[in-house]
Amino acid sequence: MAKKKGKKPAKTAPSATTEKPADKTAPSIDSAPPAAVRRDPAKRGLAIAKPRAAEPPPEPPAFWFGFDVAWAKLLAFRLVFFGLLALDALLQLRHAPRYGAGGFNVAQLPLLDGLGPTRVLYAIAQLVCAYLFVLAALGVATRIAVPLVAAIYAWLYFGSQLDGYQHHYLVALLLGIACFVPWQRPAEAGHATTVRTWAVRLVLVQLGILYLWAAISKLDAAWLDGSTLSVQIQGSVRELIDDTVGIKLVARLTILAELVLAVAIWVRPAWFVALPLGVAFHVGILMSNLEIGLFAYLMLAMYLLVIPDRAYVWLAERRPLEVLRRLFAPSATRDLLVGLVTLSGIAIATTLVALMCRLPFSLGVALGLGLVPLALVAHRRLRGRPGGAAIGAAHLVALALWVLVDRTTSVSVDYYRFWGGSSRRLGDAEAAERAYRKMVALAPDEGSGHFQLGRLLLKRGEEREGLEELRRAQELETARARAYVAEAQYLAGKGRTAEALAKAEEATYAEPTDQTALDLVDQLSGKKRPPAGAGSGASDDDQDQR
Amino acid sequence: MVTLLRWLYATPHVGALLSTWRGRLILAFVVLQLLLPLAYFARKDPHDERFAWRMFSPMRMARCVPSATLDDAPLNLAGEFHEAWLELASRGRFQVIEAMGARLCEKYPSKAVRISIDCTYLDREQRTYGGYNICDVPEL
């Protein structure tokens, strides 16, 4: 964490690299005081060569402890990195029903098998993570928010292999390192003031290691001849590659790019290579439509760290940002407003969630989180620190993001769709019905919920309501046979063959290529026997797969 | 080994790093991250590429078809496990398939549970793993 005292390591230290601080003219704040290096290692029982014991204590390596970053850059990175993660946390919420489904879990670490998240815990944890990420992005209570969210994220990742993507692992590691980054700018520091932080250097080294191993894993005949890449890249990018350099060359250039980035990303003098190469590399991955979720965006965000400090300083000095900064700067004159802003922030945010947010458990979690700004402001006051208005504002922004994501994406509807789907397949009809009822309430114009709910209701004998739901699905899914087929099968099962045949024919009008509908018409009109397995009329478009 | 460690400690950079808790943390982290991916090569499961940064590797393209029988009668795995677990099984993740086997053995204690995966690869012959009663031999 940031500490303002401490000695700057000598640039002439034997272990120092040739790297220069970001801005020699700017004042620097040291986040890693090397006081401990003055201790004698021999006293701690470490075996060292004799002559060394008499030497002066070693200076801390400037490579790590002399790494400077301008505050303007660190704050921009903080905003984008944590902002992206907040967004990702909310988008992940739709996958909550897969956690603990059927009481089955395999953790990343065997010891955690029984401690993995369940549907409810996962959803609540992601809401809390999104909230804490926004606080961190806005620089509020980062010393509490970042370690807390790092711990929750680590539990979610290591608690189940369902989050098995490499980017989840990377984020878990980066959040661990982020606990040691001094995210909050001291009041006296300007845009160009640099902060000394070994943790940001470690982030870059971690990325270098990632690229190195990614390149090594591709040193394989099936990659080098382009066959692996050709399976992965499709669409317009593939056509472009085939028409120009060819897939084999691109496969080899990928390894080369990763090897260059493995070194260039953590060596400051090579950033002019890393920046364009890395950005082009990850934009290329994005354009290739590879199924990697947020990973490419996250990797692009990491390249904010290799943009020269002066670009951020220039940007931070523009008028709109300057005005924003003054607005949120701690000030004694606005102390009386802090309480009002905090209470207003909590009240507005909670009302907003109560009225507009459909994310599962959102109101309960929002009410609980309402205590966070109160506690933070109280803590601040007790320590005699000015300001705090930003805490209430950050609370409002965090909860407003929930509403924004909910209202602009299908996360809430997907959550109930996936919950209903997995419950139905795993034989828990009661939970499935509950989920589909909720889904129908949230998305009354989506045929899928009505279809699944109708089938479940018919299965437990609720004919009137079940048929109503199926007919609603037929109205909404005019080009799909499944709701007609389901009704036809039900009617046939009840011996109402003529009605069933009429419905089956309607199914073929809606979707002339649907084999189940065609077979059903044949069967009901006595033309042929149903094929094995036909007649389910089921559709698995509620499967939770990435 | 001890000599190597002594030599490393005697080098200015490492020695200086080891003299602070931050330095020790950095060193441990970097060494772990450099070496952990090597564990992939020691695993019995070639499909398990976790913690190894093997993005888009040829092995990632392997596709496996999991299947199971209960006393020689086909068992619908989709009715037993969430499709996300079946997706992991279709990537050939041994740990997941073994855990599925253990779960089925627990659920159907007096029956023989045969579970297997047929895997196809880009760069090697098709291969089948398992196929025996996993309740007797709980590993693939």
Side-chain angles (χ1 to χ4, degrees), chain A residues 485-510:
Chain A
V485 169
E487 186 175 348
Q489 286 170 332
Y490 176 77
L491 294 171
K494 293 283 174 186
R496 294 151 67 179
T497 312
E499 289 173 76
L501 180 59
K503 271 292 162 195
E505 282 172 344
E506 279 187 65
T508 60
Y509 303 147

Side-chain angles (χ1 to χ4, degrees), chain A residues 346-357 396 399-401 403-404:
Chain A
I346 296 169
I348 296 169
T350 310
T351 310
L352 199 64
V353 169
L355 294 179
M356 295 188 70
C357 193
L396 179 58
L399 297 197
L401 186 69
V403 177
L404 185 72

Side-chain angles (χ1 to χ4, degrees), chain B:
Chain B
M1 191 67 175
V2 174
T3 315
L4 178 71
L5 287 175
R6 279 185 181 174
W7 176 82
L8 272 174
Y9 188 78
T11 59
H13 195 97
V14 175
L17 261 184
L18 285 172
S19 61
T20 67
W21 71 264
R22 290 179 184 86
R24 286 191 287 272
L25 183 74
I26 291 167
L27 200 63
F29 186 89
V30 171
V31 169
L32 185 73
Q33 280 301 306
L34 279 170
L35 299 183
L36 193 59
L38 286 173
Y40 169 75
F41 300 100
R43 281 181 198 145
K44 67 167 184 172
D45 179 8
H47 314 104
D48 186 356
E49 299 185 309
R50 291 173 303 144
F51 316 123
W53 307 121
R54 296 175 61 83
M55 283 81 79
F56 311 117
S57 73
M59 187 52 79
R60 177 69 181 79
M61 297 295 105
R63 295 313 294 174
C64 304
V65 181
S67 57
T69 60
L70 207 58
D71 274 350
D72 298 328
L75 179 70
N76 177 23
L77 286 173
E80 301 285 343
F81 303 101
H82 191 279
E83 62 268 18
W85 290 113
L86 297 179
E87 171 67 16
L88 282 174
S90 73
R91 288 193 212 158
R93 188 79 57 86
F94 282 9
Q95 248 185 36
V96 170
I97 297 157
E98 287 165 359
M100 284 178 169
R103 160 57 72 93
L104 292 172
C105 295
E106 194 185 307
K107 190 173 174 184
Y108 306 104
S110 56
K111 301 198 172 182
V113 177
R114 293 179 202 282
I115 193 160
S116 65
I117 47 170
D118 291 313
C119 298
T120 49
Y121 304 94
L122 280 179
D123 58 344
R124 61 181 78 176
E125 292 285 302
Q126 186 173 341
R127 193 169 164 194
T128 300
Y129 301 88
Y132 39 82
N133 185 358
I134 202 158
C135 304
D136 293 339
V137 185
E139 287 186 359
L140 284 183

